[in-house]
Amino acid sequence: MAPPDDDATDAAVLAWKAWRAAHRRTLALCRKQQALESELARTIGFPQAVLATAELPSPMRISSLRQFDELAADLPSLCTRRAEVAAVLRAHQQRWDDADRAIGYSVARQQEEVASDEEERLMTGLLAAEAVSLRGLSTKLDVLIAVGADGAEGRHFPWPELRRIRRDLARLMQLHRHHTVSINT
């Protein structure tokens, strides 16, 4: 007797459908927050102060007081400029925050984080689910390929091999369907 191949009863397939919807939502929110961040960077610029002084070979962009303090540790004469740099950074950060509130960047970033956490939770459930069909097994490979290809180790992981396994599985699914149709007719 052939194993069941009914999507409605395969926990892995059902979990994959939920994960796929969450994955699409996460990707859409990621694109949205990236576009908003790009808009902020283009219109306001990332908060920074430009420090020009005789002690430096050229003007230097300072993005935090920590960065200033590290620089001043090597050039103590800069310490007198700390309050000035802090005021410029605060003012720039305030412009960023005001523009952020106006366009909703931080809200979009938070929504993306929540969606990503949900996607991760669903993926964990999917990979733990018992596949009872070839399609259920195939969905697990789909998720690993979709998520892994975007990861930092993308070039070094055996993606061509996983894709070949996925194609083999799809071929076996076709043979299984063909065999099932032949037996029933």
Side-chain angles (χ1 to χ4, degrees):
M1 182 171 153
D5 201 24
D6 181 12
D7 290 355
T9 61
D10 192 322
V13 173
L14 295 173
W16 174 75
K17 288 177 181 179
W19 171 84
R20 186 175 61 177
H23 182 65
R24 287 180 179 154
R25 177 169 166 69
T26 301
L27 289 176
L29 288 168
C30 178
R31 285 189 294 274
K32 178 181 177 181
Q33 77 83 15
Q34 287 174 339
L36 292 172
E37 182 179 47
S38 293
E39 183 178 336
L40 281 173
R42 187 176 60 256
T43 59
I44 305 297
F46 290 105
Q48 63 181 339
V50 177
L51 182 61
T53 181
E55 293 91 337
L56 297 172
S58 62
M60 181 172 208
R61 295 183 188 282
I62 306 292
S63 58
S64 69
L65 283 179
R66 174 195 242 179
Q67 183 184 10
F68 176 85
D69 291 341
E70 289 172 1
L71 182 62
D74 293 333
L75 298 168
S77 61
L78 295 180
C79 291
T80 61
R81 308 272 311 265
R82 189 175 198 283
E84 172 192 346
V85 169
V88 170
L89 286 172
R90 271 193 311 277
H92 200 160
Q93 184 65 54
Q94 187 62 53
R95 288 190 306 276
W96 175 280
D97 293 345
D98 292 344
D100 172 2
R101 277 189 294 281
I103 67 172
Y105 165 69
S106 290
V107 170
R109 191 179 68 208
Q110 179 63 31
Q111 290 171 336
E112 179 197 8
E113 289 173 13
V114 169
S116 180
D117 290 346
E118 175 66 5
E119 178 188 353
E120 182 73 26
R121 185 188 67 72
L122 289 168
M123 182 179 69
T124 299
L126 164 61
L127 295 175
E130 185 174 321
V132 296
S133 68
L134 292 173
R135 179 138 190 249
L137 184 57
S138 177
T139 64
K140 290 183 176 192
L141 277 174
D142 284 344
V143 169
L144 291 175
I145 291 169
V147 171
D150 294 333
E153 68 283 337
R155 291 180 314 186
H156 305 293
F157 202 76
W159 300 120
E161 293 82 355
L162 279 174
R163 287 184 181 102
R164 255 185 254 123
I165 291 168
R166 172 62 176 92
R167 283 192 303 272
D168 289 345
L169 190 52
R171 182 178 45 77
L172 290 173
M173 289 167 57
Q174 282 289 76
L175 286 173
H176 177 72
R177 274 196 284 273
H178 177 71
H179 180 69
T180 303
V181 170
S182 297
I183 291 174
N184 293 332
T185 55

